[in-house]
Amino acid sequence: MLTVDQAQEAILAACPGLNPVRLPLLDAYGHALAEEVVADAPLPPFDNSAMDGYAVLAADTSGASSEHGVSLRVLGDLPAGQAPRFTVTPGTAVRIMTGAPLPPGADAVVMVEDTRTEGETVLIFDEASAGQHIRPAGDDVAPGQTVLTAGRALDAAALAMLAAAGRSQVMVTRRPRIAVLTTGDEVVDTDGPLAPGQIRNSNRYGLYGQVRDAGCELSHLAHVGDDPEAVRAALRAAADSGDAVITTGGVSVGDYDFMKQVLQDMGQMDFWRVAVKPGKPLAFGSISGKPLFGLPGNPVSAMLTFELFVRPALRKMAGCSRIHRPCATGVLKSDVRHYPGRREFQRARIEWEEGQLVARPLSGQGSHQLFGLVASNGLIVIPEESEGVAAGETVQVIILNEGE
Ligand code: AMP
Ligand code: MG
Protein backbone atom coordinates (compact mmCIF):
# COMPACT_ATOMS: atom_id res chain seq x y z
CA MET A 1 0.00 0.00 0.00
CA LEU A 2 1.41 3.42 -1.01
CA THR A 3 1.61 6.39 1.33
CA VAL A 4 -0.26 9.56 0.44
CA ASP A 5 2.99 11.21 -0.65
CA GLN A 6 4.07 8.25 -2.78
CA ALA A 7 0.67 8.09 -4.47
CA GLN A 8 0.60 11.84 -5.17
CA GLU A 9 4.11 11.67 -6.57
CA ALA A 10 3.34 8.69 -8.83
CA ILE A 11 0.15 10.33 -10.10
CA LEU A 12 1.82 13.65 -10.86
CA ALA A 13 4.64 11.90 -12.71
CA ALA A 14 2.05 10.20 -14.94
CA CYS A 15 0.10 13.37 -15.75
CA PRO A 16 2.00 15.66 -18.14
CA GLY A 17 0.90 19.21 -18.94
CA LEU A 18 -1.29 19.71 -22.02
CA ASN A 19 -0.54 21.75 -25.15
CA PRO A 20 -0.54 25.54 -25.22
CA VAL A 21 -3.08 27.55 -27.23
CA ARG A 22 -3.32 31.27 -28.02
CA LEU A 23 -6.48 32.87 -26.63
CA PRO A 24 -7.99 36.35 -26.44
CA LEU A 25 -7.66 37.82 -22.98
CA LEU A 26 -11.25 37.32 -21.82
CA ASP A 27 -11.25 33.68 -22.94
CA ALA A 28 -7.92 33.12 -21.19
CA TYR A 29 -9.43 33.77 -17.75
CA GLY A 30 -8.93 30.75 -15.48
CA HIS A 31 -6.30 29.14 -17.73
CA ALA A 32 -2.64 28.83 -16.78
CA LEU A 33 -0.26 31.10 -18.63
CA ALA A 34 2.04 29.16 -20.97
CA GLU A 35 4.55 31.94 -21.66
CA GLU A 36 6.60 34.47 -19.78
CA VAL A 37 5.17 37.95 -20.21
CA VAL A 38 7.73 40.76 -20.40
CA ALA A 39 6.73 44.43 -20.44
CA ASP A 40 7.92 46.21 -23.60
CA ALA A 41 7.09 49.69 -22.27
CA PRO A 42 7.07 51.40 -18.89
CA LEU A 43 3.96 51.41 -16.69
CA PRO A 44 2.65 53.99 -16.21
CA PRO A 45 3.70 55.03 -19.73
CA PHE A 46 4.34 58.70 -18.74
CA ASP A 47 4.74 60.87 -15.63
CA ASN A 48 1.22 61.76 -14.53
CA SER A 49 -0.76 63.34 -11.76
CA ALA A 50 -2.04 61.23 -8.88
CA MET A 51 -4.53 63.94 -7.88
CA ASP A 52 -6.92 66.53 -9.19
CA GLY A 53 -5.13 69.80 -8.49
CA TYR A 54 -2.44 72.09 -9.87
CA ALA A 55 0.85 71.21 -11.52
CA VAL A 56 3.42 73.63 -10.15
CA LEU A 57 7.09 74.25 -9.56
CA ALA A 58 7.67 73.13 -5.98
CA ALA A 59 10.04 76.07 -5.42
CA ASP A 60 7.16 78.50 -6.17
CA THR A 61 5.17 77.20 -3.21
CA SER A 62 7.87 77.95 -0.65
CA GLY A 63 6.32 79.53 2.46
CA ALA A 64 2.74 78.50 1.59
CA SER A 65 0.60 77.36 4.53
CA SER A 66 -3.05 77.07 5.45
CA GLU A 67 -2.88 80.69 6.69
CA HIS A 68 -0.76 82.04 3.85
CA GLY A 69 -1.63 81.37 0.20
CA VAL A 70 0.92 81.76 -2.60
CA SER A 71 -0.60 83.17 -5.78
CA LEU A 72 0.21 81.57 -9.16
CA ARG A 73 -1.13 82.43 -12.62
CA VAL A 74 -3.20 79.57 -14.13
CA LEU A 75 -2.17 78.78 -17.71
CA GLY A 76 -5.13 76.49 -18.42
CA ASP A 77 -6.69 73.06 -17.87
CA LEU A 78 -5.12 69.66 -18.53
CA PRO A 79 -7.67 66.80 -18.44
CA ALA A 80 -6.66 63.11 -18.56
CA GLY A 81 -6.19 61.86 -22.10
CA GLN A 82 -4.75 65.10 -23.50
CA ALA A 83 -1.16 65.91 -24.33
CA PRO A 84 0.17 68.91 -22.34
CA ARG A 85 -0.29 72.25 -24.14
CA PHE A 86 1.49 74.42 -21.57
CA THR A 87 4.92 74.64 -19.99
CA VAL A 88 4.93 75.55 -16.33
CA THR A 89 7.35 78.45 -15.71
CA PRO A 90 8.09 80.26 -12.44
CA GLY A 91 4.96 81.94 -11.13
CA THR A 92 2.53 79.79 -13.14
CA ALA A 93 0.45 76.64 -12.64
CA VAL A 94 -1.69 74.30 -14.77
CA ARG A 95 -4.99 72.92 -13.50
CA ILE A 96 -4.51 69.15 -13.84
CA MET A 97 -6.75 66.09 -13.46
CA THR A 98 -5.84 62.64 -12.11
CA GLY A 99 -4.07 60.63 -14.80
CA ALA A 100 -3.20 63.61 -17.00
CA PRO A 101 0.44 63.82 -18.13
CA LEU A 102 2.60 66.14 -16.09
CA PRO A 103 3.23 69.30 -18.16
CA PRO A 104 6.85 70.21 -18.91
CA GLY A 105 8.45 72.39 -16.25
CA ALA A 106 6.23 71.21 -13.40
CA ASP A 107 7.79 69.07 -10.68
CA ALA A 108 4.91 68.76 -8.18
CA VAL A 109 1.14 68.63 -7.93
CA VAL A 110 -0.83 70.41 -5.21
CA MET A 111 -4.18 68.80 -4.58
CA VAL A 112 -7.24 70.87 -5.24
CA GLU A 113 -8.28 70.73 -1.56
CA ASP A 114 -5.19 72.84 -0.70
CA THR A 115 -6.02 75.58 -3.23
CA ARG A 116 -8.55 78.32 -3.97
CA THR A 117 -9.14 79.83 -7.41
CA GLU A 118 -9.35 83.58 -7.74
CA GLY A 119 -10.10 84.58 -11.33
CA GLU A 120 -7.03 83.85 -13.48
CA THR A 121 -4.93 82.88 -10.49
CA VAL A 122 -4.87 80.16 -7.87
CA LEU A 123 -3.92 80.47 -4.22
CA ILE A 124 -1.77 77.56 -3.02
CA PHE A 125 -2.02 76.73 0.71
CA ASP A 126 0.49 73.87 0.76
CA GLU A 127 4.26 73.97 0.53
CA ALA A 128 4.89 71.28 -2.06
CA SER A 129 7.95 69.06 -2.22
CA ALA A 130 9.42 68.08 -5.59
CA GLY A 131 7.76 64.92 -6.92
CA GLN A 132 4.68 65.30 -4.73
CA HIS A 133 1.53 63.58 -6.11
CA ILE A 134 3.37 62.59 -9.29
CA ARG A 135 3.35 58.99 -10.53
CA PRO A 136 6.59 58.67 -12.49
CA ALA A 137 6.72 56.66 -15.72
CA GLY A 138 7.83 53.09 -14.97
CA ASP A 139 7.29 53.24 -11.21
CA ASP A 140 4.97 50.21 -11.49
CA VAL A 141 6.76 48.22 -14.19
CA ALA A 142 10.01 48.95 -16.01
CA PRO A 143 10.52 48.02 -19.69
CA GLY A 144 11.99 44.53 -19.93
CA GLN A 145 10.56 43.49 -16.57
CA THR A 146 8.87 40.08 -16.30
CA VAL A 147 5.34 40.76 -15.12
CA LEU A 148 3.96 37.19 -15.18
CA THR A 149 5.65 33.81 -15.39
CA ALA A 150 4.45 30.65 -17.12
CA GLY A 151 2.22 28.57 -14.88
CA ARG A 152 0.39 31.50 -13.35
CA ALA A 153 -3.34 30.79 -13.20
CA LEU A 154 -4.95 33.81 -14.85
CA ASP A 155 -7.01 35.40 -12.13
CA ALA A 156 -8.49 38.88 -12.09
CA ALA A 157 -5.24 40.62 -11.14
CA ALA A 158 -3.28 38.76 -13.84
CA LEU A 159 -5.83 39.71 -16.54
CA ALA A 160 -5.61 43.35 -15.47
CA MET A 161 -1.81 43.20 -15.64
CA LEU A 162 -1.88 41.67 -19.13
CA ALA A 163 -4.30 44.33 -20.33
CA ALA A 164 -2.15 47.11 -18.86
CA ALA A 165 0.85 45.63 -20.66
CA GLY A 166 -1.06 45.82 -23.96
CA ARG A 167 -1.60 42.10 -24.49
CA SER A 168 -4.84 41.25 -26.30
CA GLN A 169 -3.94 37.56 -26.66
CA VAL A 170 -1.83 35.21 -24.59
CA MET A 171 -0.49 31.68 -24.77
CA VAL A 172 -2.20 29.50 -22.16
CA THR A 173 -2.41 25.78 -21.53
CA ARG A 174 -5.46 24.13 -22.99
CA ARG A 175 -8.18 23.40 -20.46
CA PRO A 176 -8.21 19.65 -19.62
CA ARG A 177 -11.39 17.85 -20.65
CA ILE A 178 -12.37 15.28 -18.05
CA ALA A 179 -14.75 12.31 -18.25
CA VAL A 180 -16.63 11.29 -15.12
CA LEU A 181 -18.23 7.86 -14.82
CA THR A 182 -20.20 6.85 -11.74
CA THR A 183 -21.12 3.21 -11.09
CA GLY A 184 -23.50 1.16 -8.99
CA ASP A 185 -26.84 -0.61 -9.48
CA GLU A 186 -28.24 1.12 -6.40
CA VAL A 187 -27.33 4.62 -7.55
CA VAL A 188 -30.03 6.73 -9.27
CA ASP A 189 -30.22 10.34 -10.42
CA THR A 190 -31.98 13.13 -8.56
CA ASP A 191 -35.46 12.93 -10.10
CA GLY A 192 -38.21 10.52 -9.08
CA PRO A 193 -38.83 8.66 -5.83
CA LEU A 194 -36.29 6.21 -4.47
CA ALA A 195 -37.13 2.50 -4.63
CA PRO A 196 -36.06 0.45 -1.60
CA GLY A 197 -32.29 0.15 -1.50
CA GLN A 198 -31.61 3.00 -3.90
CA ILE A 199 -29.57 6.13 -3.18
CA ARG A 200 -29.08 9.35 -5.13
CA ASN A 201 -26.08 9.85 -7.37
CA SER A 202 -24.36 12.55 -5.36
CA ASN A 203 -20.93 11.77 -6.81
CA ARG A 204 -22.06 12.82 -10.28
CA TYR A 205 -22.74 16.34 -9.02
CA GLY A 206 -19.94 16.59 -6.48
CA LEU A 207 -17.31 15.57 -9.02
CA TYR A 208 -18.82 17.78 -11.70
CA GLY A 209 -18.30 20.75 -9.38
CA GLN A 210 -14.81 19.66 -8.40
CA VAL A 211 -13.73 19.22 -12.03
CA ARG A 212 -15.05 22.70 -12.86
CA ASP A 213 -13.44 24.20 -9.73
CA ALA A 214 -10.10 22.70 -10.78
CA GLY A 215 -10.25 24.74 -14.00
CA CYS A 216 -11.26 21.83 -16.24
CA GLU A 217 -14.31 21.08 -18.34
CA LEU A 218 -16.43 17.95 -18.46
CA SER A 219 -16.11 15.94 -21.65
CA HIS A 220 -18.51 13.27 -20.50
CA LEU A 221 -20.74 12.56 -17.48
CA ALA A 222 -22.29 9.10 -17.37
CA HIS A 223 -23.52 6.39 -15.05
CA VAL A 224 -23.31 2.62 -15.43
CA GLY A 225 -24.67 -0.31 -13.40
CA ASP A 226 -22.62 -3.13 -11.89
CA ASP A 227 -22.23 -5.19 -15.02
CA PRO A 228 -18.72 -5.89 -16.31
CA GLU A 229 -19.70 -5.62 -19.99
CA ALA A 230 -21.55 -2.35 -19.48
CA VAL A 231 -18.65 -0.99 -17.40
CA ARG A 232 -16.26 -1.93 -20.21
CA ALA A 233 -18.28 -0.07 -22.85
CA ALA A 234 -18.82 2.93 -20.59
CA LEU A 235 -15.11 3.16 -19.80
CA ARG A 236 -14.24 3.00 -23.49
CA ALA A 237 -16.63 5.88 -24.26
CA ALA A 238 -15.30 7.90 -21.32
CA ALA A 239 -11.68 7.36 -22.35
CA ASP A 240 -12.43 8.36 -25.95
CA SER A 241 -14.01 11.64 -24.89
CA GLY A 242 -11.41 13.42 -22.80
CA ASP A 243 -7.88 13.84 -21.47
CA ALA A 244 -8.45 11.85 -18.27
CA VAL A 245 -11.11 9.60 -16.76
CA ILE A 246 -12.51 9.61 -13.23
CA THR A 247 -14.71 6.78 -12.02
CA THR A 248 -16.39 6.23 -8.68
CA GLY A 249 -17.35 2.99 -6.99
CA GLY A 250 -16.52 -0.61 -7.62
CA VAL A 251 -12.87 -0.43 -6.57
CA SER A 252 -13.15 -2.12 -3.19
CA VAL A 253 -13.36 -5.87 -2.57
CA GLY A 254 -17.12 -6.57 -2.73
CA ASP A 255 -18.60 -9.18 -5.08
CA TYR A 256 -19.93 -6.49 -7.41
CA ASP A 257 -16.78 -4.39 -7.49
CA PHE A 258 -15.77 -5.07 -11.09
CA MET A 259 -14.08 -1.79 -11.76
CA LYS A 260 -10.64 -2.92 -10.68
CA GLN A 261 -10.76 -6.04 -12.82
CA VAL A 262 -12.08 -4.22 -15.87
CA LEU A 263 -9.44 -1.53 -15.50
CA GLN A 264 -6.75 -4.14 -15.26
CA ASP A 265 -8.02 -5.85 -18.42
CA MET A 266 -8.54 -2.73 -20.50
CA GLY A 267 -5.67 -0.53 -19.46
CA GLN A 268 -2.87 -0.38 -17.00
CA MET A 269 -3.32 -0.32 -13.23
CA ASP A 270 -0.43 1.29 -11.33
CA PHE A 271 -1.84 0.91 -7.82
CA TRP A 272 -5.20 0.54 -6.16
CA ARG A 273 -4.68 1.12 -2.46
CA VAL A 274 -3.39 4.16 -0.61
CA ALA A 275 -2.88 4.56 3.14
CA VAL A 276 -5.40 7.38 3.44
CA LYS A 277 -8.56 7.87 5.48
CA PRO A 278 -11.12 8.26 4.11
CA GLY A 279 -10.52 6.53 0.80
CA LYS A 280 -8.24 3.49 1.08
CA PRO A 281 -9.44 1.84 -2.15
CA LEU A 282 -8.15 4.27 -4.76
CA ALA A 283 -7.07 3.02 -8.14
CA PHE A 284 -4.76 4.84 -10.48
CA GLY A 285 -3.63 3.79 -13.90
CA SER A 286 -4.28 4.58 -17.52
CA ILE A 287 -6.64 3.68 -20.31
CA SER A 288 -5.86 4.43 -23.96
CA GLY A 289 -2.81 6.25 -22.62
CA LYS A 290 -4.95 8.63 -20.55
CA PRO A 291 -4.74 8.89 -16.77
CA LEU A 292 -7.52 7.06 -14.98
CA PHE A 293 -8.57 7.67 -11.40
CA GLY A 294 -10.76 4.99 -9.83
CA LEU A 295 -12.19 6.73 -6.78
CA PRO A 296 -14.13 5.01 -4.00
CA GLY A 297 -17.93 5.13 -4.15
CA ASN A 298 -18.65 6.68 -0.77
CA PRO A 299 -19.42 10.34 -1.45
CA VAL A 300 -17.00 11.85 1.08
CA SER A 301 -14.24 9.42 0.11
CA ALA A 302 -14.81 10.23 -3.56
CA MET A 303 -14.64 13.97 -3.04
CA LEU A 304 -11.70 13.86 -0.63
CA THR A 305 -9.63 11.56 -2.80
CA PHE A 306 -10.41 13.88 -5.71
CA GLU A 307 -9.19 16.79 -3.59
CA LEU A 308 -5.97 15.03 -2.55
CA PHE A 309 -4.99 13.07 -5.64
CA VAL A 310 -6.98 14.18 -8.68
CA ARG A 311 -7.09 17.94 -8.28
CA PRO A 312 -3.30 18.41 -8.14
CA ALA A 313 -2.97 16.17 -11.21
CA LEU A 314 -5.61 18.11 -13.16
CA ARG A 315 -3.99 21.40 -12.17
CA LYS A 316 -0.66 20.07 -13.42
CA MET A 317 -2.25 19.00 -16.72
CA ALA A 318 -3.77 22.49 -16.93
CA GLY A 319 -0.27 23.93 -16.73
CA CYS A 320 -0.59 25.54 -13.28
CA SER A 321 2.59 25.89 -11.26
CA ARG A 322 0.64 26.11 -8.00
CA ILE A 323 -1.17 22.82 -7.76
CA HIS A 324 -1.71 22.39 -4.03
CA ARG A 325 -4.06 24.19 -1.66
CA PRO A 326 -2.64 26.56 0.91
CA CYS A 327 -1.69 24.97 4.26
CA ALA A 328 -1.35 26.50 7.69
CA THR A 329 -1.02 25.42 11.30
CA GLY A 330 -3.96 25.77 13.64
CA VAL A 331 -4.80 25.03 17.25
CA LEU A 332 -7.03 21.98 17.60
CA LYS A 333 -10.24 22.77 19.52
CA SER A 334 -11.26 19.22 20.47
CA ASP A 335 -9.53 15.87 20.86
CA VAL A 336 -9.08 13.72 17.76
CA ARG A 337 -8.67 9.96 18.06
CA HIS A 338 -6.48 8.14 15.59
CA TYR A 339 -5.07 4.66 15.20
CA PRO A 340 -1.60 4.62 13.63
CA GLY A 341 -1.53 3.49 10.01
CA ARG A 342 -3.20 5.76 7.48
CA ARG A 343 -2.93 9.54 7.08
CA GLU A 344 -6.30 10.93 8.03
CA PHE A 345 -8.04 14.04 6.80
CA GLN A 346 -10.80 15.31 9.07
CA ARG A 347 -13.43 17.77 7.87
CA ALA A 348 -13.14 20.90 9.94
CA ARG A 349 -14.05 24.53 10.41
CA ILE A 350 -10.94 26.66 10.26
CA GLU A 351 -11.40 30.14 11.72
CA TRP A 352 -9.32 33.08 12.87
CA GLU A 353 -10.20 33.53 16.54
CA GLU A 354 -8.60 35.77 19.14
CA GLY A 355 -5.38 36.17 17.24
CA GLN A 356 -4.86 32.59 16.12
CA LEU A 357 -6.03 30.08 13.58
CA VAL A 358 -8.18 27.40 15.21
CA ALA A 359 -9.39 24.09 13.77
CA ARG A 360 -12.65 22.50 14.92
CA PRO A 361 -13.25 18.92 13.77
CA LEU A 362 -16.88 18.53 12.69
CA SER A 363 -19.12 15.75 13.87
CA GLY A 364 -19.99 13.24 11.16
CA GLN A 365 -16.57 12.14 9.90
CA GLY A 366 -17.95 8.99 8.24
CA SER A 367 -17.02 8.48 4.60
CA HIS A 368 -20.73 8.59 3.67
CA GLN A 369 -21.54 11.71 5.74
CA LEU A 370 -21.88 14.58 3.29
CA PHE A 371 -23.20 16.96 5.92
CA GLY A 372 -19.80 17.10 7.61
CA LEU A 373 -18.25 17.91 4.23
CA VAL A 374 -20.66 20.66 3.28
CA ALA A 375 -20.19 22.30 6.69
CA SER A 376 -16.39 22.27 6.42
CA ASN A 377 -14.05 24.86 4.98
CA GLY A 378 -10.86 22.91 5.52
CA LEU A 379 -9.19 19.68 6.54
CA ILE A 380 -7.18 18.70 9.59
CA VAL A 381 -4.24 16.45 8.71
CA ILE A 382 -3.53 13.64 11.19
CA PRO A 383 -0.15 12.04 10.44
CA GLU A 384 0.11 8.29 9.84
CA GLU A 385 1.99 7.51 13.04
CA SER A 386 -0.20 9.68 15.32
CA GLU A 387 -1.93 8.04 18.28
CA GLY A 388 -4.39 10.90 18.55
CA VAL A 389 -4.15 14.65 19.02
CA ALA A 390 -5.40 16.48 22.10
CA ALA A 391 -7.26 19.78 22.15
CA GLY A 392 -4.80 22.66 22.39
CA GLU A 393 -2.15 20.95 20.28
CA THR A 394 -1.08 22.35 16.93
CA VAL A 395 -2.14 20.61 13.72
CA GLN A 396 -1.59 21.09 10.00
CA VAL A 397 -4.69 22.36 8.22
CA ILE A 398 -5.53 22.57 4.53
CA ILE A 399 -7.67 25.53 3.53
CA LEU A 400 -10.32 24.41 1.02
CA ASN A 401 -12.66 27.38 0.66
CA GLU A 402 -13.89 30.56 2.33
CA GLY A 403 -16.62 28.66 4.18
CA GLU A 404 -20.08 30.02 4.93
P1 AMP B 1 -18.66 0.99 -3.77
O1 AMP B 1 -17.33 1.64 -3.75
O2 AMP B 1 -19.23 0.84 -5.13
O3 AMP B 1 -18.66 -0.28 -2.97
O4 AMP B 1 -19.62 2.00 -3.00
C1 AMP B 1 -19.41 2.35 -1.65
C2 AMP B 1 -20.58 3.11 -1.10
O5 AMP B 1 -20.75 4.33 -1.81
C3 AMP B 1 -21.90 2.38 -1.21
O6 AMP B 1 -22.66 2.66 -0.06
C4 AMP B 1 -22.54 3.02 -2.43
O7 AMP B 1 -23.94 2.94 -2.40
C5 AMP B 1 -22.07 4.42 -2.34
N1 AMP B 1 -21.98 5.05 -3.66
C6 AMP B 1 -21.38 4.52 -4.75
N2 AMP B 1 -21.49 5.33 -5.80
C7 AMP B 1 -22.17 6.42 -5.39
C8 AMP B 1 -22.61 7.61 -6.03
N3 AMP B 1 -22.34 7.84 -7.31
N4 AMP B 1 -23.29 8.52 -5.30
C9 AMP B 1 -23.55 8.28 -3.99
N5 AMP B 1 -23.16 7.17 -3.33
C10 AMP B 1 -22.49 6.23 -4.02
MG1 MG C 1 -20.74 -0.05 -6.02
Side-chain angles (χ1 to χ4, degrees):
M1 189 149 57
L2 298 188
T3 65
V4 170
D5 296 331
Q6 287 168 336
Q8 281 180 336
E9 212 173 294
I11 288 172
L12 288 177
C15 294
L18 301 180
N19 296 336
V21 289
R22 181 178 296 280
L23 288 182
L25 218 43
L26 294 181
D27 295 341
Y29 176 73
H31 286 73
L33 199 59
E35 60 172 322
E36 185 185 60
V37 176
V38 176
D40 58 7
L43 287 178
F46 47 86
D47 294 352
N48 69 96
S49 179
M51 293 281 177
D52 293 331
Y54 288 85
V56 301
L57 280 156
D60 276 353
T61 66
S62 168
S65 71
S66 50
E67 285 86 43
H68 173 65
V70 168
S71 177
L72 298 175
R73 187 163 58 86
V74 178
L75 301 175
D77 277 9
L78 185 47
Q82 287 193 8
R85 286 169 290 130
F86 314 99
T87 297
V88 177
T89 51
T92 69
V94 166
R95 206 161 81 89
I96 193 167
M97 309 304 148
T98 304
L102 194 73
D107 65 357
V109 170
V110 176
M111 59 182 180
V112 72
E113 291 86 342
D114 292 329
T115 68
R116 195 169 74 225
T117 36
E118 289 197 334
E120 304 282 278
T121 65
V122 61
L123 282 174
I124 305 286
F125 296 99
D126 174 40
E127 190 172 86
S129 52
Q132 168 181 302
H133 301 319
I134 293 171
R135 303 186 289 208
D139 87 330
D140 183 10
V141 174
Q145 185 180 329
T146 298
V147 291
L148 293 167
T149 49
R152 165 72 182 241
L154 293 181
D155 56 3
L159 280 196
M161 182 78 250
L162 289 166
R167 296 294 302 264
S168 55
Q169 301 193 326
V170 276
M171 293 302 291
V172 295
T173 301
R174 178 168 77 73
R175 216 185 267 288
R177 291 168 47 74
I178 308 302
V180 170
L181 178 65
T182 54
T183 69
D185 283 342
E186 77 284 24
V187 176
V188 295
D189 211 341
T190 49
D191 34 9
L194 288 176
Q198 290 186 329
I199 57 157
R200 306 273 186 215
N201 191 348
S202 47
N203 289 348
R204 173 182 172 89
Y205 296 89
L207 290 172
Y208 170 85
Q210 286 185 302
V211 167
R212 296 282 308 268
D213 284 351
C216 304
E217 50 187 69
L218 274 290
S219 64
H220 187 84
L221 190 56
H223 182 79
V224 65
D226 292 316
D227 167 70
E229 272 322 303
V231 168
R232 227 175 263 280
L235 262 182
R236 177 68 57 214
D240 286 345
S241 76
D243 300 305
V245 179
I246 302 169
T247 68
T248 71
V251 284
S252 47
V253 290
D255 284 349
Y256 293 85
D257 290 331
F258 305 118
M259 187 58 88
K260 227 168 50 210
Q261 191 55 49
V262 172
L263 285 182
Q264 247 153 1
D265 297 347
M266 289 179 68
Q268 174 192 324
M269 176 93 90
D270 295 345
F271 57 84
W272 61 276
R273 270 151 44 103
V274 179
V276 62
K277 186 179 176 194
K280 181 166 68 178
L282 164 71
F284 178 74
S286 63
I287 180 164
S288 311
K290 296 168 182 174
L292 185 142
F293 302 87
L295 307 185
N298 272 309
V300 175
S301 304
M303 292 186 71
L304 273 188
T305 49
F306 179 98
E307 178 61 38
L308 297 171
F309 301 101
V310 187
R311 187 175 183 277
L314 299 191
R315 304 259 305 161
K316 185 180 174 214
M317 292 171 75
C320 298
S321 47
R322 268 194 158 273
I323 59 173
H324 294 296
R325 301 273 194 193
C327 283
T329 50
V331 177
L332 193 64
K333 289 304 260 188
S334 55
D335 296 352
V336 169
R337 288 173 22 177
H338 184 257
Y339 301 100
R342 296 186 275 164
R343 190 180 302 176
E344 185 173 348
F345 295 85
Q346 290 224 343
R347 276 68 75 208
R349 294 289 310 179
I350 317 289
E351 314 277 7
W352 183 256
E353 273 178 24
E354 293 166 2
Q356 61 183 10
L357 206 62
V358 300
R360 258 187 205 89
L362 294 165
S363 61
Q365 296 285 335
S367 58
H368 62 295
Q369 290 180 301
L370 272 176
F371 191 69
L373 188 65
V374 81
S376 69
N377 67 344
L379 299 172
I380 295 169
V381 185
I382 313 291
E384 289 81 346
E385 66 284 0
S386 168
E387 294 183 351
V389 191
E393 288 188 52
T394 297
V395 285
Q396 183 194 349
V397 295
I398 299 174
I399 313 294
L400 292 180
N401 57 54
E402 291 94 348
E404 296 248 293

